[in-house]
Amino acid sequence: MLRMLTSVRLAASVASVVMIGCWVNFYTEQISQGDYLHSLLGLGWDNSLLVLGVFSLVAGESATRRWAMVEHDEFRQRYLMLQQRQRRLLESTLGLVCELISKTFQIPCNARYFVAERDGEGRHYIRQDRDLAVLNISMPREFGFTRIHVDTPHIVSGRAFRERVPLFQELPVAHSDLYDPEVGRMIEPAQRWVLACPVLRLDAVTNSHAPEAPPHGVIVFYGTEVPEGPDRDDRVRTSLDYAQRFAEQMSHMLNMLELSTESEPAGAPVA
């Protein structure tokens, strides 16, 4: 399709230049023998060269616009396909990391990704990505979870977002009493620990963490049984390392998708 449109553009451009050039030559010869109107009428059917030349210009412009639209559509299709493949890879990898952490702690756990966004007041909040999740433990209150601001007190994932570091924290038995009622209704009272790791943004040039940019979101692992044992601290460190490695992988994937979007063909229609 693009090759055909490119050929049409080239042919229309050449045809318009040739026909308008010929008409200019004929008109120049006629105008030396009379006034402008008389010279124009005196050309007779030769004026069709001007009409056809203009028509060729319009056809070339139409082909150019159509070419840009086709190129944009093809780019969007490739981008969506890449996004879907990256999504499937993230889903499968999150499942593996959740299993690793569960085996390290020797207890079952859940995993979720929380997307970071801004509200109308410019405050950051995190919102559940309901598809990028591994749910091994039933927690009914999470069903009604919408979003929560990152500066909400006692929220480990919000603290990990603000401090830009992976964190592990055990929750007190009565942690439900610490939250405001609006927040407490979205958090399972039986939950006993949280491991949260921010997914940091990368600089497009250096591919290193961009300290001035807010994280993409937060990866959270959590459960209802507290990890125990004499080597508990070592297992926590190992689990934090697993989470951090996955967050790094996710940062690179999201950065690649953002760079693909920025490389969208210039002049393409705005979606």
Side-chain angles (χ1 to χ4, degrees):
M1 183 67 176
L2 286 176
R3 289 182 179 179
M4 183 180 70
L5 289 173
T6 302
S7 299
V8 171
R9 291 175 61 196
L10 179 60
S13 298
V14 172
S16 63
V17 170
V18 170
M19 287 186 287
I20 293 178
C22 291
W23 179 85
V24 169
N25 287 333
F26 294 154
Y27 184 64
T28 303
E29 292 177 1
Q30 285 287 333
I31 202 172
S32 62
Q33 304 173 12
D35 58 23
Y36 294 106
L37 181 59
H38 182 269
S39 300
L40 184 63
L41 295 175
L43 287 176
W45 285 102
D46 289 338
N47 284 321
S48 61
L49 292 173
L50 177 61
V51 176
L52 292 174
V54 173
F55 177 80
S56 296
L57 283 175
V58 173
E61 179 62 22
S62 298
T64 300
R65 293 180 63 84
R66 178 58 182 165
W67 177 82
M69 292 177 63
V70 170
E71 187 180 44
H72 177 260
D73 290 343
E74 290 188 354
F75 174 86
R76 294 300 300 174
Q77 290 175 2
R78 291 193 298 270
Y79 174 78
L80 290 174
M81 182 174 64
L82 175 63
Q83 193 177 41
Q84 291 171 358
R85 290 180 178 177
Q86 296 284 37
R87 184 80 176 186
R88 289 195 294 269
L89 180 58
L90 287 174
E91 290 173 357
S92 62
T93 307
L94 180 61
L96 291 175
V97 176
C98 185
E99 185 176 353
L100 281 172
I101 291 177
S102 179
K103 289 182 177 180
T104 302
F105 282 157
Q106 300 175 1
I107 52 175
C109 70
N110 289 351
R112 279 192 184 275
Y113 176 57
F114 289 81
V115 185
E117 297 176 344
R118 286 180 183 269
D119 61 13
E121 300 175 354
R123 298 171 62 197
H124 283 98
Y125 63 88
I126 50 177
R127 171 182 56 80
Q128 272 190 10
D129 185 327
R130 293 190 177 274
D131 296 323
L132 195 52
V134 180
L135 305 178
N136 297 313
I137 307 171
S138 176
M139 295 190 181
R141 287 212 186 173
E142 287 188 356
F143 183 77
F145 193 102
T146 53
R147 67 182 192 179
I148 190 167
H149 287 100
V150 298
D151 54 359
T152 302
H154 311 295
I155 300 299
V156 180
S157 52
R159 181 183 161 203
F161 179 95
R162 298 192 311 271
E163 298 182 5
R164 301 169 63 88
V165 293
L167 298 171
F168 173 84
Q169 182 174 318
E170 289 188 18
L171 302 178
V173 175
H175 67 91
S176 295
D177 299 335
L178 300 175
Y179 313 119
D180 292 335
E182 184 178 355
V183 176
R185 66 179 176 80
M186 299 186 294
I187 299 176
E188 186 65 35
Q191 187 174 331
R192 288 294 175 269
W193 61 272
V194 180
L195 189 157
C197 185
V199 179
L200 302 177
R201 292 182 183 274
L202 302 179
D203 183 86
V205 178
T206 64
N207 206 37
S208 59
H209 293 154
E212 73 286 350
H216 289 285
V218 184
I219 290 290
V220 180
F221 301 88
Y222 54 101
T224 56
E225 301 176 40
V226 178
E228 298 177 347
D231 58 346
R232 172 188 175 279
D233 291 342
D234 290 336
R235 287 186 285 143
V236 167
R237 282 193 292 269
T238 300
S239 298
L240 285 169
D241 183 62
Y242 288 148
Q244 189 169 349
R245 288 174 183 271
F246 175 68
E248 281 287 333
Q249 180 186 21
M250 194 168 183
S251 291
H252 286 287
M253 288 184 177
L254 295 176
N255 190 56
M256 183 173 64
L257 288 174
E258 286 187 347
L259 290 175
S260 298
T261 304
E262 292 173 0
S263 65
E264 186 171 345
V270 179

